[in-house]
Amino acid sequence: MLKGMNVAIIGAGAIARSMCQTIRGMKANGRPVELYAIASRSQEKADAFAREEGVEKAYGSYEAMLADPKVDLVYIATPHSHHAEQMKLCIRYGKAVLCEKAFTPNQHQAEEVLHLAREQGVYVAEALWPRYMPSRWIINELLAEGVIGEPRMLYSNLCYAIEHKERIMDPALAGGALLDLGIYVLNFASMVFGDDIVRINSTVELMETGVDRTETITIKYRDGKMAQLMASTAFNSDRRCVIYGTKGYLTVDNVNNPGWIEIFDKDDRVHPIRRIDVPAQITGYEYEVEACLRDLQAGNLEPVEMPHQQTLMLLRQMDALRAIWHIKFPFEDKSPFTDMELIER
Ligand SMILES: NC(=O)c1ccc[n+]([C@@H]2O[C@H](COP(=O)([O-])OP(=O)(O)OC[C@H]3O[C@@H](n4cnc5c(N)ncnc54)[C@H](OP(=O)(O)O)[C@@H]3O)[C@@H](O)[C@H]2O)c1
């Protein structure tokens, strides 16, 4: 059985540095994880990254790193457009994968990756971090206790002014707000209300490059519940979530990485009747790494917290939204969404 886990990273960029901080923190807490290797398209960049972040090995090619038998888990930290090809490469080398969100730009690419992973018996996980966090279970347990009565409606937003980033602006890199930020609000709605959706409506503002800048999304579920969501790359927002129930409402301070949850009863909109702080964390990314460690030790091929079906379900919703907006990426010859079931009812 795997005792310790050597983590290797593809892509020496911004989020890769947060992962390094996470692994260092986990190791300092006595967890059996090693910050083992970094691979970049440039050896120089890999060397500098390894030196600055304390990574043991630096590779100037992704394949050279994948050929290293000491690598246990590969964390893919590159633009969305490159995830599918890089995951397939890892799978062909027999390496377990933790891939950043969005898993792939569309459902079809994800199906191809997951098919190969099943065929080769290789572990693959989507690094959608709130799925692995304790806040997810805290919120669901509070709702199950009935603290706000029956939940009927939810609201969530996630907006960051990030249009200086090439991967956000460029359609060839599967840019736009949806795959970067919208995925979090869709995921929050999915974690709370599930995925039995009867209709999705949306309004979008496009960037000059043709990808989505700002969007509002309304989801209606079969049981009549509704979700109202917003994402944008043009400005910062409060990132708040509210779940409205028949006896009160529950707020979450940050959809991306919840810090606390407050409960309000229906009569007092100012003073919460209860506040729950989520457990202290290193960065918040440690929970997805712990899940990979548990899964590799248990011989699982997908995470319990983020099953492959869930990855596909969110991609189906994002494909539907891009169909509403008439956005297809240059590497797609047609809109990836063909059944129209969610959007034309
Ligand atoms: N979970 C979170 O909180 C969070 C936060 C931010 C981002 N993310 C996700 O993490 C991923 C990477 O985001 P990031 O902000 O770290 O990206 P980034 O810094 O822009 O780029 C990361 C790496 O991707 C490669 N890359 C960049 N542009 C490329 C291009 N045009 N063609 C080929 N490779 C390219 C480079 O790897 P080389 O070193 O090989 O050159 C680069 O170092 C995305 O999937 C994003 O959604 C997640």
Side-chain angles (χ1 to χ4, degrees):
M1 192 176 86
L2 182 79
K3 289 210 177 73
M5 185 170 71
N6 281 340
V7 180
I9 303 174
I10 284 185
I15 194 67
R17 291 190 186 267
S18 303
M19 182 52 78
C20 292
Q21 186 192 343
T22 307
I23 307 279
R24 286 194 301 268
M26 290 175 75
K27 203 176 167 201
N29 289 346
R31 302 303 297 143
V33 289
E34 296 292 335
L35 192 45
Y36 178 65
I38 178 75
S40 170
R41 293 167 297 175
S42 137
Q43 183 69 53
E44 215 182 339
K45 195 168 155 193
D47 288 340
F49 186 99
R51 210 171 36 249
E52 287 156 17
E53 299 292 340
V55 185
E56 194 177 327
K57 294 219 148 186
Y59 288 98
S61 108
Y62 300 158
E63 294 213 47
M65 185 178 78
L66 295 176
D68 182 336
K70 286 172 120 181
V71 169
D72 296 313
L73 177 76
V74 180
Y75 171 60
I76 296 179
T78 56
H80 313 138
S81 49
H82 288 60
H83 290 176
E85 276 319 304
Q86 291 166 354
M87 279 193 274
K88 286 183 193 167
L89 193 63
C90 293
I91 294 166
R92 288 194 194 100
Y93 275 90
K95 298 297 188 194
V97 179
L98 173 65
C99 182
E100 259 307 335
K101 44 52 69 174
F103 189 70
T104 52
N106 59 46
Q107 186 182 347
H108 176 69
Q109 284 193 11
E111 279 164 351
E112 286 186 353
V113 170
L114 296 175
H115 178 78
L116 185 65
R118 259 194 315 276
E119 209 176 72
Q120 302 293 317
V122 174
Y123 177 81
V124 176
E126 180 177 7
L128 190 54
W129 57 325
R131 279 267 166 190
Y132 302 87
M133 290 175 180
S135 52
R136 172 185 175 190
W137 310 112
I138 297 171
I139 293 166
N140 283 353
E141 275 162 26
L142 286 165
L143 295 176
E145 274 171 36
V147 288
I148 59 164
E150 191 197 351
R152 298 299 310 167
M153 172 88 201
L154 74 75
Y155 165 77
S156 175
N157 75 72
L158 188 64
C159 309
Y160 288 112
I162 47 173
E163 291 180 12
H164 53 282
K165 294 184 182 226
E166 183 198 7
R167 69 174 185 82
I168 296 297
M169 303 298 289
D170 189 349
L173 298 178
L178 180 65
L179 270 65
D180 207 64
L181 305 173
I183 187 170
Y184 287 110
V185 291
L186 287 170
N187 176 61
F188 184 76
S190 164
M191 290 196 299
V192 176
F193 282 169
D195 298 293
D196 194 2
I197 294 172
V198 290
R199 188 174 166 81
I200 299 182
N201 288 95
S202 180
T203 302
V204 71
E205 183 214 352
L206 300 182
M207 298 184 201
E208 39 299 340
T209 59
V211 295
D212 55 307
R213 165 176 285 142
T214 302
E215 55 242 17
T216 59
I217 303 166
T218 306
I219 300 180
K220 184 164 182 207
Y221 300 89
R222 194 170 306 281
D223 58 8
K225 295 186 173 94
M226 289 176 57
Q228 178 67 56
L229 313 173
M230 174 176 81
S232 179
T233 56
F235 50 85
N236 288 353
S237 68
D238 58 11
R239 308 178 294 191
R240 217 164 95 98
C241 308
V242 190
I243 306 168
Y244 301 93
T246 48
K247 292 187 186 153
Y249 58 94
L250 176 159
T251 65
V252 181
D253 67 309
N254 176 5
V255 62
N256 211 16
N257 185 9
W260 65 85
I261 297 149
E262 289 183 326
I263 317 284
F264 294 79
D265 81 8
K266 63 182 177 12
D267 300 319
D268 186 346
R269 293 179 178 82
V270 179
H271 306 100
I273 53 172
R274 203 164 146 197
R275 173 183 163 120
I276 300 99
D277 289 312
V278 310
Q281 53 179 220
I282 301 168
T283 55
Y285 299 110
E286 63 269 33
Y287 300 109
E288 64 194 27
V289 179
E290 288 286 357
C292 292
L293 178 62
R294 264 195 314 276
D295 287 332
L296 293 191
Q297 287 175 334
N300 297 342
L301 293 181
E302 62 187 310
V304 178
E305 298 84 349
M306 187 63 188
H308 292 162
Q309 274 311 318
Q310 191 60 61
T311 287
L312 293 172
M313 183 64 79
L314 285 176
L315 282 165
R316 178 166 187 259
Q317 293 169 27
M318 294 194 285
D319 285 354
L321 285 159
R322 287 198 296 120
I324 296 174
W325 307 332
H326 304 288
I327 293 179
K328 70 176 179 60
F329 298 124
F331 49 82
E332 297 173 318
D333 41 354
K334 57 182 171 46
S335 166
F337 196 73
T338 49
D339 63 14
M340 296 297 151
E341 200 193 317
L342 290 180
I343 60 180
E344 283 191 345
R345 236 172 261 178

